[in-house]
């Protein structure tokens, strides 16, 4: 064994232990860094060819590895924009030049200049903007991700387009339909008329209906759109006859205060028959037009048979500006009290969008009247907060309490996370050894979930690092002794020449 080999071994050992001390120092100083992953130094021997009688000293090589795939402890904070990943995956972030990176550091805040969500290292959180037709991420690409920016959602309104109205209609409710009572014609009337019908109506309310038929003609319907007296109802029916939407009758009020429809057919004796349907139950639902004006939609329900109810909607905010489209329909129930399709009412909101009211959740059971309703859309309001869901959806929370889905945050990973290349700012980029991106949404396809108001801490254990520091110090000292001894022997050898 040559003295040069001894010197080489000592230097190699000192360099290796120096690398180990470097990773220990880095771990200790980053023990409080959000999302930091511990580095370690692994050694491997380098053996040189030797003969049976002569040993040729080799050396040791070192390689730094990171435990990037290990979960760190999660601690909860007071900031709702702090995000932690529980399970597999990394946040996708970008630097100021737009280059993408991966990180577990989720200490995001809103940047006052750009409105973007950035973490403590200045990297911008990336996500998919909802409402842009993006069905889902590319499985192996980050195409389509944009900075999560909440400033574009400030002070905006959206018109209502859909809503639900569901609950139970009482099976025991009384049937609200009554046939009109036929009366004799006035023999002195000029021109002569043959018949009339009297309805048991007093003060009318929105949603009540008057249906009548003149002779063998078609059934005609008049829907009450707002509360009114019988005299006002008679005047409205006569106005509708004048306008041509109704025909063949003249409306009046009997001495006892009932609505009377009399045939105006001058050519033949024609009877008038009909029914009057009163309101059984009523509710209302608030919707919004295109600019965010609130409009109250009055909903009335009338039981017309053992298995049928009618539902009628009207503009409760301004009865002079009625809803258009289909404003009334039948709700039919089977013997089990379950609704029979179709159960969607399509009408138009004044100044707004076409609106679909889904009533597929209605039942008719032996219980109380108990209904709930909801609709989309919102009035003009400023964003006051940002809310994050476990599935990665980012909601803009407005001052009026409305929550609107703005973005959805993807998670990305690689086949071998421990082989990612660490970069400044606690971010990582893929390498040939790590493999390419695999992208998905939280809580799907093996990806973890996102916890709001929490941060993932460093996975460094100080006790372990101090132990490793002592080991590296001891080995470094021992290797320095080998080098020192080899140097002294070399000096002795050189002195022999003199």
């Amino acid at each position: 064994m040559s003295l040069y080999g001894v010197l080489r071994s000592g230097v190699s050992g000192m360099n290796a232990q120096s690398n180990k001390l470097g990773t220990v120092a880095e771990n200790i100083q980053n023990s409080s860094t959000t999302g930091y992953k511990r580095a370690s130094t692994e050694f491997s021997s380098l053996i040189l060819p030797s003969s049976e009688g002569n040993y040729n000293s080799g050396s040791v090589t070192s390689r730094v590895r990171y435990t990037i795939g290990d979960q760190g402890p999660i601690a909860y904070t007071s900031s709702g924009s702090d995000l932690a990943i529980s399970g597999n995956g990394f946040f996708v972030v970008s630097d100021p030049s737009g280059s993408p990176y991966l990180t577990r550091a989720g200490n995001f805040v809103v940047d006052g200049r750009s409105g973007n969500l950035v973490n403590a290292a200045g990297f911008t959180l990336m996500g998919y903007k909802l409402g842009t037709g993006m069905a889902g991420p590319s499985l192996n690409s980050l195409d389509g991700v944009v900075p999560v920016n909440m400033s574009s959602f400030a002070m905006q309104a959206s018109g209502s387009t859909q809503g639900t109205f569901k609950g139970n209609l009482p099976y025991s409710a009384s049937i609200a339909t009554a046939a009109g009572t036929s009366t004799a014609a006035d023999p002195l009337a000029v021109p002569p008329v043959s018949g009339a019908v009297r309805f048991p109506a007093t003060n009318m309310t929105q949603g009540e209906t008057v249906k009548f038929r003149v002779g063998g003609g078609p059934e005609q319907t008049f829907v009450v759109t707002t509360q009114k007296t019988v005299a006002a109802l008679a005047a409205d029916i006569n106005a509708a006859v004048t306008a041509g939407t109704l025909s063949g009758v003249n409306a009046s009020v009997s001495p006892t205060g009932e609505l009377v429809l009399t045939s105006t057919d001058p050519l033949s004796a024609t009877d008038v028959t009909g029914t009057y349907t009163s309101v059984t139950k009523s509710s209302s639902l608030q919707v919004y037009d295109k600019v965010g004006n609130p409009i109250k939609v009055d909903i009335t329900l009338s039981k017309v048979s053992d298995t049928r109810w009618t539902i009628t909607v009207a503009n409760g905010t301004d009865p002079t500006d009625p809803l258009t489209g289909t404003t009334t329909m039948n709700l039919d129930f089977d013997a089990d009290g379950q609704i029979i399709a179709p159960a969607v009412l399509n009408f138009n909101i004044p100044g707004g969008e076409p609106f679909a009211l889904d009533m597929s959740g209605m039942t008719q059971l032996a219980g109380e009247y108990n209904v709930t309703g909801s609709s989309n859309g919102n009035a003009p309001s400023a964003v006051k907060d940002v809310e994050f869901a476990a599935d990665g959806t980012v909601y803009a929370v407005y001052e009026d309490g409305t929550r609107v889905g703005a973005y959805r945050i993807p998670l990305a990973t690689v086949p071998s996370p421990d082989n990612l290349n660490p970069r400044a700012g606690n971010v990582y980029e893929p390498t040939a050894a790590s493999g390419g991106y695999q992208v998905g949404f939280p809580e799907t396809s093996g990806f973890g979930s996102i916890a709001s108001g929490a941060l993932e801490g460093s996975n460094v254990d100080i006790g372990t690092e101090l132990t490793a520091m002592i080991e590296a110090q001891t080995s470094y000292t021992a290797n320095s002794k080998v080098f020192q001894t080899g140097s002294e022997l070399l000096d002795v050898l050189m002195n022999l020449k003199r």
Side-chain angles (χ1 to χ4, degrees):
M1 174 180 173
S2 69
L3 291 177
Y4 288 107
V6 173
L7 293 173
R8 183 174 61 246
S9 297
V11 171
S12 174
M14 292 167 65
N15 287 335
Q17 297 303 324
S18 177
N19 287 340
K20 183 174 182 178
L21 283 170
T23 59
V24 169
E26 179 181 335
N27 291 338
I28 292 176
Q29 66 184 350
N30 283 284
S31 60
S32 298
T33 301
T34 300
Y36 175 79
K37 301 302 179 182
R38 178 180 180 270
S40 62
T41 303
E42 305 294 335
F43 299 137
S44 62
S45 60
L46 179 61
I47 305 299
L48 297 180
S50 301
S51 64
E52 182 176 346
N54 184 39
Y55 181 75
N56 194 6
S57 175
S59 62
V60 61
T61 61
S62 62
R63 180 177 180 181
V64 177
R65 290 187 174 179
Y66 292 84
T67 56
I68 300 174
D70 289 354
Q71 174 83 46
I74 293 179
Y76 288 89
T77 70
S78 58
S79 174
S81 60
D82 285 340
L83 304 178
I85 301 173
S86 178
N88 186 36
F90 298 82
F91 295 113
V92 179
V93 295
S94 68
D95 63 10
S97 66
S99 299
Y101 294 95
L102 304 181
T103 187
R104 298 277 290 199
N107 44 355
F108 296 103
V109 294
V110 177
D111 179 58
R113 294 174 299 174
S114 64
N116 295 334
L117 284 174
V118 298
N119 65 11
F123 289 88
T124 300
L125 178 64
M126 307 296 283
Y128 296 101
K129 192 169 185 178
L130 298 180
T132 59
M134 188 72 184
S138 300
L139 298 178
N140 60 347
S141 170
L142 296 177
D143 289 344
V145 293
V146 296
V148 176
N149 186 301
M150 304 308 297
S151 61
S152 61
F153 286 83
M155 206 62 181
Q156 66 176 8
S158 60
S160 301
T161 57
Q162 59 185 7
T164 60
F165 186 65
K166 59 184 179 180
N168 185 63
L169 301 177
Y171 178 82
S172 59
S174 301
I175 295 175
T177 299
T181 302
S182 298
T183 62
D186 183 356
L188 301 179
V190 179
V193 294
S194 63
V197 65
R198 184 175 68 244
F199 295 99
T202 53
N203 287 337
M204 309 291 287
T205 187
Q206 180 262 323
E208 296 183 337
T209 58
V210 176
K211 295 183 179 182
F212 64 91
R213 191 186 303 271
V214 181
E219 184 178 68
Q220 302 179 65
T221 302
F222 183 86
V223 180
V224 179
T225 57
T226 186
Q227 186 172 349
K228 60 186 63 182
T229 64
V230 177
L233 174 62
D236 286 349
I237 291 177
N238 289 334
V241 171
T242 302
T245 56
L246 298 177
S247 62
V249 295
N250 177 72
S252 60
V253 182
S254 72
T256 57
E258 297 171 310
L259 175 67
V260 177
L261 298 184
T262 305
S263 170
T264 59
D265 187 346
L267 302 179
S268 60
T270 304
D271 293 327
V272 180
T273 58
T275 57
Y276 160 72
T277 303
S278 62
V279 169
T280 303
K281 299 293 181 181
S282 60
S283 299
S284 64
L285 186 68
Q286 182 167 289
V287 298
Y288 299 90
D289 65 13
K290 292 180 179 179
V291 297
N293 289 318
I295 296 175
K296 186 176 74 167
V297 176
D298 287 335
I299 303 172
T300 55
L301 298 131
S302 302
K303 186 175 183 180
V304 296
S305 73
D306 288 339
T307 59
R308 171 173 289 184
W309 292 64
T310 61
I311 182 169
T312 303
V313 294
N315 187 345
T317 300
D318 184 7
T320 63
D321 191 11
L323 306 177
T324 58
T326 305
T327 57
T328 185
M329 71 177 298
N330 294 324
L331 300 179
D332 293 308
F333 298 90
D334 60 22
D336 296 325
Q338 303 302 310
I339 197 166
I340 301 173
V344 178
L345 196 61
N346 295 286
F347 55 90
N348 302 309
I349 299 172
E353 306 283 356
F355 188 86
L357 184 61
D358 184 4
M359 297 166 290
S360 58
M362 297 295 291
T363 59
Q364 183 189 235
L365 302 173
E368 297 181 351
Y369 176 73
N370 183 13
V371 296
T372 60
S374 64
S375 69
N376 62 356
N378 64 276
S381 182
V383 175
K384 71 169 183 178
D385 199 3
V386 180
E387 191 174 292
F388 299 85
D391 65 353
T393 303
V394 183
Y395 292 95
V397 182
Y398 290 87
E399 292 177 343
D400 63 356
T402 305
R403 297 164 67 253
V404 176
Y407 295 88
R408 194 168 183 193
I409 300 171
L411 294 181
T413 188
V414 293
S416 179
D418 290 347
N419 283 314
L420 286 167
N421 182 29
R423 301 296 299 271
N426 205 12
V427 296
Y428 308 96
E429 61 182 0
T431 63
S434 72
Y437 292 118
Q438 299 294 312
V439 186
F441 286 129
E443 299 185 328
T444 63
S445 304
F447 286 98
S449 61
I450 293 179
S452 175
L455 291 174
E456 180 183 0
S458 167
N459 63 359
V460 172
D461 179 70
I462 293 296
T464 300
E465 299 307 318
L466 293 177
T467 301
M469 179 186 295
I470 295 172
E471 292 175 349
Q473 181 184 12
T474 302
S475 297
Y476 188 93
T477 302
N479 278 283
S480 68
K481 292 296 183 181
V482 171
F483 180 81
Q484 183 179 9
T485 301
S487 177
E488 292 174 352
L489 291 175
L490 185 60
D491 287 342
V492 172
L493 183 61
M494 296 297 293
N495 290 332
L496 290 176
K497 184 178 178 181
R498 296 171 185 168

